[in-house]
Amino acid sequence: MVETIQWTTQGVVMLDQTRLPRETVFVTCRDYREVAQAIRGMVIRGAPAIGVAAAMGMALGAAGADPASLDAEMDHAAETLAATRPTAVNLFWAIERMKELYGRLRGRPVEEIRAALEAEAREMYRQDIAINQAMGRHGAGLVPDGKTVLTHCNAGALATAGFGTALGVIRAAVAAGKKIDVFAGETRPFLQGARLTAWELMQDGIPTTLITDNMAGHFLKSGRIGCVIVGADRIAGNGDVANKIGTYSVAVLARENGVPFYVAAPISTLDLSLASGDAIPIEQRPAAEVTHLFGVAVAPEGVAVENPAFDVTPARYVSAIVTERGVARAPYSESLRKLVVG
Ligand code: MRU
């Protein structure tokens, strides 16, 4: 299994996802500013992985500060990390969890505070893997045996502390003996599907076929695809799902062709404070991601560009949402709340 992120005595070590699959290179972040830089620069990406990185960044915030400046440093760490990427709510969830712990510890000896924040960040890493495995157990039954599963972007081990959300469900289905293969949409413009999902699944020996995003409709119509499974960056209270740009098109095409469309996401991806997906902030990324491929221009200079990194799939297209606490189905305003309250 790939190690996406690790807490070490040298700092927070991340597998550089901008360089996969050509190179397996690790980046060491020694303070929260470097962690923020890594999140913004997509060295680490994927909602749960960003959350774990932010928690570790907050722990580094305490590690670097002297007692007199600890309060100010922790505030600055939280602000800096929160300003990296706006859509995945796991980032803000993780920062809040670390801030709450710090608030409870304020006034204690600095060494004790540092140790507790480090222990919490490491615990969040461990919990994320366990959560993904639980999601796999709940979701594996949804995957039809002997069929192809279509996924979009990368919701795998690389997008989490390990095992993955959508790819975790696929891994659990394979482990349960189901004969499935995966179609990975390449996911323009950042190519998470081509560069990361295909790489990760091939490492596990799960049969994987790469398709370009505009082939999704053709294959959904063909009858080969048994279901679609994707991850999520934020899910509103009514079940609307923000995920990688292109997810909405896949969901509509899945519905048109009678193919179930599943979302796998931890409870920390739910944002029940939002009534609908209309309120989810959508990150706009640099035009160069669209106009250039690996530094080479593929569009005329000066062309106008839009580059929203995420879209929102209305809840009516979502057949089920798999979480670590079970599977939610429509009406999501009731089922999601029930999962959260317990
Ligand atoms: O821009 P990215 O690569 O961070 O976007 C990632 C996604 O959209 C994933 O599908 C989502 O975060 C779920 S990851 C388990």
Side-chain angles (χ1 to χ4, degrees):
M1 182 75 74
V2 290
E3 284 284 4
T4 309
I5 183 166
Q6 269 179 298
W7 179 277
T8 73
T9 49
Q10 310 302 308
V12 178
V13 176
M14 301 173 189
L15 177 56
D16 186 346
Q17 299 193 30
T18 64
R19 306 202 19 204
L20 286 172
R22 285 168 300 147
E23 290 171 288
T24 307
V25 178
F26 291 86
V27 169
T28 303
C29 301
R30 291 184 173 80
D31 58 40
Y32 66 82
R33 289 177 185 84
E34 289 183 358
V35 173
Q37 187 64 30
I39 295 172
R40 193 176 299 108
M42 308 280 278
V43 167
I44 190 158
R45 31 63 51 199
I50 292 172
V52 172
M56 290 184 177
M58 290 291 284
L60 284 179
D66 59 57
S69 64
L70 192 54
D71 262 7
E73 264 312 86
M74 289 305 288
D75 280 350
H76 197 242
E79 276 164 29
T80 308
L81 289 160
T84 52
R85 300 192 72 193
T87 304
V89 75
N90 308 61
L91 175 77
F92 307 98
W93 167 86
I95 293 169
E96 275 314 304
R97 184 162 153 178
M98 295 298 279
K99 268 171 73 176
E100 268 170 36
L101 175 62
Y102 177 66
R104 288 202 298 278
L105 294 166
R106 195 179 268 124
R108 310 286 306 164
V110 176
E111 276 318 312
E112 190 187 319
I113 294 177
R114 284 183 188 145
L117 289 173
E118 179 191 324
E120 183 74 352
R122 295 172 79 139
E123 178 58 15
M124 285 163 77
Y125 167 92
R126 275 191 296 273
Q127 280 176 0
D128 189 57
I129 297 173
I131 283 168
N132 293 332
Q133 288 167 339
M135 243 181 278
R137 288 194 292 278
H138 289 298
L142 297 172
V143 181
D145 200 2
K147 286 278 204 178
T148 298
V149 179
L150 173 63
T151 190
H152 186 66
C153 193
N154 173 267
L158 289 167
T160 62
F163 200 66
T165 58
L167 298 194
V169 170
I170 291 170
R171 287 195 165 96
V174 169
K178 290 191 175 174
K179 294 261 166 303
I180 52 178
D181 71 302
V182 178
F183 270 31
E186 72 171 348
T187 318
R188 274 280 284 153
F190 212 73
L191 302 177
Q192 288 94 332
R195 295 189 304 103
L196 308 177
T197 296
W199 180 80
E200 184 181 325
L201 290 175
M202 285 172 78
Q203 294 231 328
D204 269 14
I206 297 175
T208 304
T209 302
L210 178 63
I211 61 169
T212 62
D213 300 327
N214 51 359
M215 296 174 188
H218 169 79
F219 285 110
L220 282 162
K221 187 147 73 68
S222 73
R224 278 170 74 174
I225 312 283
C227 71
V228 177
I229 307 180
V230 297
D233 288 84
R234 196 186 293 226
I235 302 176
N238 68 344
D240 289 353
V241 174
N243 190 49
K244 180 52 55 195
I245 192 76
T247 302
Y248 172 40
S249 323
V250 172
V252 173
L253 287 162
R255 169 61 52 87
E256 166 71 13
N257 291 286
V259 176
F261 177 87
Y262 299 123
V263 174
I267 295 290
S268 56
T269 300
L270 302 183
D271 186 352
L272 301 189
S273 73
L274 302 183
S276 85
D278 295 344
I280 298 175
I282 301 293
E283 176 183 7
Q284 305 295 320
R285 292 198 54 88
E289 289 180 1
V290 176
T291 55
H292 288 65
L293 277 174
F294 302 104
V296 178
V298 292
E301 207 182 319
V303 68
V305 171
E306 292 278 354
N307 189 12
F310 302 95
D311 59 27
V312 175
T313 298
R316 65 179 177 280
Y317 293 109
V318 179
S319 310
I321 298 176
V322 181
T323 76
E324 69 272 31
R325 296 193 190 156
V327 177
R329 292 195 185 260
Y332 292 107
S333 42
E334 286 168 26
S335 56
L336 293 178
R337 234 159 266 278
K338 235 182 245 171
L339 285 181
V340 170
V341 176

